[in-house]
Amino acid sequence: MKGVVVIGTQWGDEGKGKVTDFLAEQADVVVRFQGGNNAGHTIVFDDRKFALHLIPSGIFRTEAINVLANGMVIDPKAMLDELEMLKQGGVTDFQLYLSDRAHVVLPQHIELDGLMEDIKPQHKKVGTTRKGIGPAYTDKFARIGIRICDLIDEAAFKDKLTDNLKYHNTILTAYGKPAIDIEAVFDEYYQYGQLLKPYVTDTSRLLNGVLEDGKKVLFEGAQGALLCIDHGTYPFVTSSSPTASSVPLNTGVSPQYITDVVGVTKAYSTRVGSGCFLTEFNNDTASKIRDAGNEYGTTTGRPRRIGWLDTVVLRHTKRVSGVTGLSVMLLDVLTGIDPLKICVAYHLDGKRIDYIPASITDLERCKPEYVTLPGWHQDITKTTKFSDLPDAAKQYLNTISELVGIPISMFSFGPDRTQTIVLDDVMNT
Ligand code: GDP
Ligand code: IMO
Ligand code: MG
């Protein structure tokens, strides 16, 4: 039995899709456990590139079962579009299941996501993906959400949609937006539900069954721990918990099944959307990193903000989520950048601290303290083993591991599946 969680340790886009696809070769089941199509996970192999938003990144491994668990929010149209995209790409041989307890993202959620952003002054905008994620989770916790089991049941869907839209139309019209037509949404989304019905099951029972049989399950996080609704830089966060701690709740498996947590981290930092980002810098080096790393959002195409690696952030994620090994990504992007900086602590009102303050105004007053390391200039994209790396790259990886207090289990030096080296075979140890 093995339950390996892959999580983002920063603000998302760390390369979780690549790591999940890579590890999925050894997995029996791959599970997305939170978020929705706000995520964009890129997978590159055999000169092909796929961007997944809802479907787990194990979908290219025909042996693996792929599961969308109860903790996710599902836009049925987006899921059908993604299945069509896979079909067009020749990816048809897979096993896929969708939780009957996952919540549904409906047009009112997308409208409200946009409205809530639009009415905020610039400095308060979260910069959401406008995919309806926040309002769908809000409905879930307000107990007025619509679940997949309702979507596929004609009477339940009509009843719950009517109540839900009555409430949301009051808000939309109060803000001068047109009311959403209940019949039109029902007709369109009931059809989507029927198309998704063959995938729907009780995924908690499925997952516990395979874990009891001693199989290997890979849990794929979306977003990153600093976007966590509880442990992130609130309110500039997403509306779910992208931590390993949330896996049992969001999938319906016992915590005892979680054996390993792979924390995926970029060799530097990026953030897309608003919110405090202490190690951010805006100069030629940032542009160079943005170009070399193709740092534009997979879901929204927005340029990502660039910063030095922040080990206060990584230690925070290690604490709130549990991380047993680091997967350091995009090391190749730092080639030619010399010197390199790593943030080791913050200074708040003259005091050196090693934590992320809860208050955003306190966080904004923090000043990062850095160590400086030498860079390297050799091409590392064809590395075959750790010892091939230039000394400065080895030193950079070793320094990260020492500062965070976790071993490096993998590192990556190019987008392709093959540009990956495993130091600790987490799926088999
Ligand atoms: P995710 O959301 O965590 O799955 O990450 P994204 O897919 O949104 O963003 C990561 C980006 O980095 C994608 O474009 C990947 O193809 C790319 N990528 C992943 N690992 C590497 C790497 O080691 N080097 C380079 N150059 N690109 C990488
Ligand atoms: P992956 O899985 C990076 C950010 C948005 C915004 C905030 C809230 O690809 O790493 P939301 O639409 O979730 O309400 O937006 O969270 N965000 C992400 N940033 N990668 C993601 O996912 C993200 N998903 C949401 O930019 O700042
Ligand atoms: Mg992404």
Side-chain angles (χ1 to χ4, degrees):
M1 184 273 294
K2 197 114 187 103
V4 178
V5 187
V6 172
I7 57 141
T9 58
Q10 300 162 311
W11 287 274
D13 302 328
E14 298 90 347
K16 299 173 294 293
K18 174 175 169 166
V19 171
T20 304
D21 164 72
F22 185 87
L23 296 177
E25 190 184 15
Q26 309 284 321
D28 297 296
V29 185
V30 182
V31 191
R32 268 281 307 270
F33 58 92
Q34 42 72 233
N37 59 328
N38 47 351
H41 295 179
T42 316
I43 292 108
V44 181
F45 59 95
D46 299 343
D47 294 325
R48 304 170 74 198
K49 181 171 171 175
F50 290 92
L52 298 175
H53 302 283
L54 285 165
I55 308 282
S57 300
I59 202 74
F60 307 104
R61 307 291 194 174
T62 48
E63 305 294 305
I65 294 173
N66 283 270
V67 171
L68 289 84
N70 57 280
M72 290 187 74
V73 286
I74 309 293
D75 178 331
K77 185 171 186 304
M79 182 163 169
L80 289 165
D81 286 348
E82 207 166 315
L83 288 168
E84 182 58 28
M85 179 276 291
L86 288 171
K87 193 172 156 194
Q88 296 299 324
V91 183
T92 49
D93 184 12
F94 52 73
Q95 307 166 67
L96 185 67
Y97 294 98
L98 168 61
S99 169
D100 48 10
R101 288 170 170 81
H103 278 249
V104 182
V105 179
L106 291 159
Q108 55 269 39
H109 300 127
I110 299 171
E111 272 298 311
L112 281 163
D113 195 354
L115 174 67
M116 286 164 73
E117 282 287 276
D118 292 342
I119 61 176
K120 283 178 184 154
Q122 192 58 38
H123 69 287
K124 289 188 175 166
K125 291 187 199 296
V126 176
T128 75
T129 58
R130 295 180 177 246
K131 300 288 182 190
I133 306 302
Y137 277 115
T138 305
D139 278 8
K140 170 177 175 170
F141 286 92
R143 295 163 296 180
I144 57 166
I146 292 164
R147 297 185 296 166
I148 294 289
C149 59
D150 306 318
L151 179 73
I152 60 174
D153 174 329
E154 190 171 357
F157 183 40
K158 192 160 242 174
D159 176 47
K160 287 170 197 273
L161 180 69
T162 305
D163 291 348
N164 183 282
L165 262 178
K166 264 189 201 157
Y167 172 71
H168 285 312
N169 275 339
T170 313
I171 300 169
L172 287 171
T173 51
Y175 279 100
K177 297 276 172 192
I180 292 176
D181 186 80
I182 298 177
E183 287 302 321
V185 175
F186 175 81
D187 290 345
E188 184 181 350
Y189 280 74
Y190 184 67
Q191 292 307 317
Y192 297 151
Q194 294 309 299
L195 293 169
L196 291 175
K197 201 171 174 176
Y199 303 108
V200 176
T201 194
D202 181 335
T203 53
S204 164
R205 293 181 61 207
L206 183 155
L207 291 172
N208 280 277
V210 294
L211 283 161
E212 279 157 19
D213 285 348
K215 302 237 167 89
K216 295 177 192 170
V217 179
L218 192 56
F219 298 92
E220 177 185 19
Q223 291 80 53
L226 273 291
L227 292 173
C228 175
I229 187 76
D230 275 89
H231 300 292
T233 51
Y234 192 91
F236 300 99
V237 292
T238 191
S239 298
S240 66
S241 176
T243 63
S245 329
S246 86
V247 168
L249 174 71
N250 283 324
T251 60
V253 307
S254 162
Q256 79 199 24
Y257 287 129
I258 309 302
T259 54
D260 307 82
V261 182
V262 177
V264 185
T265 180
K266 277 181 174 160
Y268 46 96
S269 304
T270 63
R271 182 165 195 172
V272 58
S274 335
C276 183
F277 183 12
L278 287 177
T279 66
E280 182 174 20
F281 56 92
N282 258 312
N283 55 19
D284 288 351
T285 305
S287 306
K288 208 172 151 191
I289 290 177
R290 189 174 297 111
D291 289 345
N294 189 26
E295 294 294 0
Y296 296 89
T298 313
T299 300
T300 57
R302 291 177 289 179
R304 295 176 184 147
R305 300 158 65 194
I306 309 288
W308 297 114
L309 188 73
D310 185 341
T311 60
V312 180
V313 161
L314 297 186
R315 287 189 293 273
H316 173 83
T317 298
K318 173 182 154 190
R319 188 175 72 249
V320 300
S321 167
V323 180
T324 53
L326 287 173
S327 183
V328 180
M329 314 301 286
L330 297 111
L331 199 59
D332 53 302
V333 173
L334 294 184
T335 300
I337 294 174
D338 192 4
L340 295 163
K341 293 212 261 181
I342 298 180
C343 170
V344 292
Y346 299 160
H347 290 260
L348 175 59
D349 302 335
K351 195 171 158 228
R352 189 177 194 268
I353 60 166
D354 184 29
Y355 60 86
I356 297 174
S359 149
I360 286 292
T361 51
D362 286 352
L363 183 61
E364 282 167 349
R365 286 204 315 286
C366 287
K367 302 269 177 290
E369 175 188 324
Y370 292 106
V371 290
T372 301
L373 283 93
W376 60 90
H377 298 268
Q378 302 90 318
D379 177 12
I380 60 165
T381 57
K382 294 178 186 65
T383 304
T384 56
K385 50 189 180 311
F386 181 79
S387 57
D388 286 351
L389 287 174
D391 285 346
K394 285 182 200 154
Q395 186 190 350
Y396 192 73
L397 287 178
N398 288 334
T399 305
I400 297 171
S401 175
E402 279 162 27
L403 287 170
V404 188
I406 313 176
I408 310 265
S409 49
M410 295 166 68
F411 65 95
S412 167
F413 40 91
D416 194 83
R417 205 185 247 175
T418 57
Q419 292 170 301
T420 316
I421 285 180
V422 171
L423 301 175
D424 172 19
D425 185 5
V426 72
M427 297 302 288
N428 293 306
T429 46

